[in-house]
Amino acid sequence: MTTGLRRFAKRAAVTPPPSAKPEATAPAGAAAETDGHQKLNGLEGLVAGLPALDSIPGLAGTGSQDGAADSGVEHCELCREVLTDRHGHLVDTDKRSLACACRACYLLFTQEGAGGGRYRAVPERIYHDPSRPLSDLDWNDLQIPVAMAFFFYNSAIGRVVAGYPSPAGPTECELDLQAWDKIAAEHPLLTEMAPDVEAILVNRTDLGNEVFLIPIDMCYSLVGELRMYWTGFDGGAEVRTAMATFMTGLRHRAVALERRTADHGPGR
C-alpha cells in the first residue's frame, strides 16, 4: 500500500522538518521520542496541521528502542507486533502524525471513537467520479498555482487544507474556502472524504482534470518519492516518471463513486 514510503525510507536521507505542533527544544538534528513517535526538528516548511512527513515511522532513519530499524524489522507503533510488508496506518490526531499498525490494532481503530478518538485508521479505498468532472473554471476558482494538489479536512484547525508536492516536501497553498464549499456542493466526491485520514487529489492534464479520493498516507508516499527524485525547477524526468507511475496505479484501483453507492449504499 505504501511502496513509495518504503523506497523513500531505504534510498533517501532527508533533512527532518519540524512537527506540526510546537515541541520541546532539542539539539539541532536530534530526534526526541514520545510514545513511540519520532518528533524531529530541522527545516522550516511543514504547513500547519499537515502530518509531519519525517515523523512517519521508517522515514527518518532513526532506530526504535529495540533496534528494529537497524535490523530492517518494523513494529506496530501501539503493540510492538512485528509488521508485514503490507500493514495499515493510523493518524494520531493529537500529534498530527502517521503511525504504522498491525492488522489487529488497525481494525480496532476503524470503529468510530475507538480509544477516545485519538487514533483514526487510514482507509484503503480509492474513488473517482467520472460522471462529475472538475472543470477548468472550478479549478480557476480555487486559485491553486500548481497542476497537482491534494486537499483534506484537518479536524484540529477545523478546515480544509490544500497542499502540493515540492522539493522541500509538502507545501501549503492558500485555499479559498468559500470557493471550495461551492465546488464541493456540486461534486459529491469532495464531501465523501473522511476528516484527517483521506484526501482529494487533483491532477491537471491536457486531457482534463483527474480527481481521486485517496488515503492520506498515499499523499505522503507521493510527496516523499518526488522529494527524493526532484531536480531543477520542474522536478526533472525521474519526477515525471514517478508521477506517471503513481497516477497509473490510481486509475487502475479507483472505483467509480456511483458504483460504490449502488453496491454498498450511502456512507463508508
Side-chain angles (χ1 to χ4, degrees), residues 106-140:
Y106 175 84
L107 291 175
L108 173 65
F109 290 102
T110 59
Q111 305 300 314
E112 189 71 26
R118 172 176 172 177
Y119 292 100
R120 296 180 183 175
V122 178
E124 298 180 357
R125 62 182 190 165
I126 297 175
Y127 292 125
H128 67 148
D129 192 0
S131 66
R132 297 175 180 84
L134 190 71
S135 69
D136 288 338
L137 181 60
D138 291 333
W139 185 255
N140 291 337

Side-chain angles (χ1 to χ4, degrees), residues 22-151:
E23 299 292 333
T25 303
E33 286 194 10
T34 306
D35 297 332
H37 292 269
Q38 296 291 339
K39 291 299 173 185
L40 303 168
N41 301 299
L43 286 177
E44 294 180 358
L46 266 189
V47 303
L50 287 175
L53 179 65
D54 289 13
S55 72
I56 298 172
L59 280 183
T62 54
S64 64
Q65 292 178 351
D66 57 5
D70 294 336
S71 63
V73 176
E74 291 186 273
H75 291 258
C76 174
E77 293 292 302
L78 275 71
C79 73
R80 309 306 298 164
E81 177 76 17
V82 174
L83 297 174
T84 62
D85 286 341
R86 190 177 187 276
H87 59 267
H89 290 104
L90 306 173
V91 169
D92 182 337
T93 59
D94 284 356
K95 301 181 183 301
R96 309 306 304 173
S97 61
L98 287 170
C100 294
C102 67
R103 192 63 180 170
C105 289
Y106 175 84
L107 291 175
L108 173 65
F109 290 102
T110 59
Q111 305 300 314
E112 189 71 26
R118 172 176 172 177
Y119 292 100
R120 296 180 183 175
V122 178
E124 298 180 357
R125 62 182 190 165
I126 297 175
Y127 292 125
H128 67 148
D129 192 0
S131 66
R132 297 175 180 84
L134 190 71
S135 69
D136 288 338
L137 181 60
D138 291 333
W139 185 255
N140 291 337
D141 286 345
L142 291 175
Q143 302 181 48
I144 303 297
V146 292
M148 174 182 280
F150 58 89
F151 309 82

